[in-house]
Structure formats: structure tokens, C-alpha cells
Amino acid sequence: MKTVFAKPASVERKWYILDAEGKVLGRVAAKVASIVRGKNKTNFVPHQEIGDFVVVINADKIVVTGRKAEQKMYYRHTGYVGGLKANNFEAVIARHPEMPLENAIKGMLPKGPLGRKMAKNVKIYAGTEHPHASQKPVPIEA
């Protein structure tokens, strides 16, 4: 069986907008990752970037179920000895409203150069304002 390659000129890339207000974090991330990866297209190939662009607004109003707001932890390391920092979802969403959704989407994309390139096709904004109106994004439902 031959390996299928999609020609970059033949790939039609669309822009989508998703309002995350009141939506569950994981469900939004799964929908966005699928679109950015290109799995909604008939000519999907796992080794090429043929996905669409997604603009997510109201990322600060995203919700998590159960007691995850208090219990879900985000870790980072300063690079110094004993420099592990931990914050729960409430603290992270108050300080960096886009970060939980960005981390969830990146975790669902391939690891390596291809996944990092796909992650750049997601634009996440805390409020309703975004600078991508000229691309005429199509609204989608998560």
C-alpha cells in the first residue's frame, strides 16, 4: 500500500470560532484538537498538517466538573533545585485564563515538531474580543 501525501496547494484550510463559555474543558479540548489535526476531513493523513484554524473565545469562563476546580493541579518547574510549583485550577484560571485549555489541547495533539506546528493553529482568548474577524471564522459547537 502506498503512503498518501496531501499536496499543500490542494488542502483547503478554514477558520472556525468556538465559544467556550459554560462548556466543559475536556470536551472543548477534544473538539478543537480533532479539528486542528484534520480528522474532520476526508483526506486526513496522520503525518501531515492539513487541519483547520480554531479561535476559542471566553476561555476564562470554561468549567470543569466535580471538585476538579479545587483538586486539579498544574505543575511547573523553575529550573532550580526544589523549584516545583503547583497551582490548582482556580488559581491558574484566575492568573492565566488561557493556560488550562491550551495545556489540554496540546496534550491531545501529537508529540514532536508536527504537534508543535499544529498547536500554533489554535488561538485562545480570555474574552470575546479577537483580532481574527477578517478571516471570517465559522461558528462551531463543542
Side-chain angles (χ1 to χ4, degrees):
M1 190 159 133
K2 286 187 165 187
T3 303
V4 178
F5 285 94
K7 290 189 170 63
S10 67
V11 175
E12 184 183 337
R13 314 272 307 265
K14 294 182 183 175
W15 282 78
Y16 293 102
I17 188 165
L18 193 142
D19 189 359
E21 184 174 0
K23 305 248 176 35
V24 180
L25 173 68
R27 292 179 185 268
V28 170
K31 181 72 171 178
V32 171
S34 177
I35 292 171
V36 168
R37 187 127 193 248
K39 286 192 154 198
N40 59 336
K41 297 187 174 194
T42 57
N43 59 345
F44 169 72
V45 286
H47 56 85
Q48 281 185 296
E49 184 209 9
I50 61 165
D52 298 319
F53 297 90
V54 179
V55 178
V56 181
I57 57 173
N58 290 324
D60 55 342
K61 296 179 182 79
I62 204 156
V63 296
V64 288
T65 58
R67 294 178 53 202
K68 289 190 199 93
E70 305 95 37
Q71 292 178 345
K72 182 169 179 57
M73 300 300 285
Y74 290 92
Y75 298 97
R76 63 186 179 87
H77 200 280
T78 62
Y80 290 97
V81 176
L84 185 66
K85 303 288 184 182
N87 289 318
N88 65 0
F89 179 81
E90 290 175 332
V92 170
I93 203 86
R95 189 168 180 151
H96 303 288
E98 302 92 6
M99 198 198 90
L101 185 59
E102 185 178 323
N103 280 2
I105 293 169
K106 281 184 181 176
M108 295 179 186
L109 292 175
K111 310 306 179 256
L114 181 64
R116 288 191 293 271
K117 191 173 181 187
M118 287 177 182
K120 290 179 184 174
N121 295 340
V122 180
K123 315 296 182 191
I124 303 172
Y125 298 99
T128 56
E129 299 296 320
H130 63 89
H132 305 287
S134 60
Q135 280 79 18
K136 299 181 183 90
V138 179
I140 56 170
E141 195 64 35

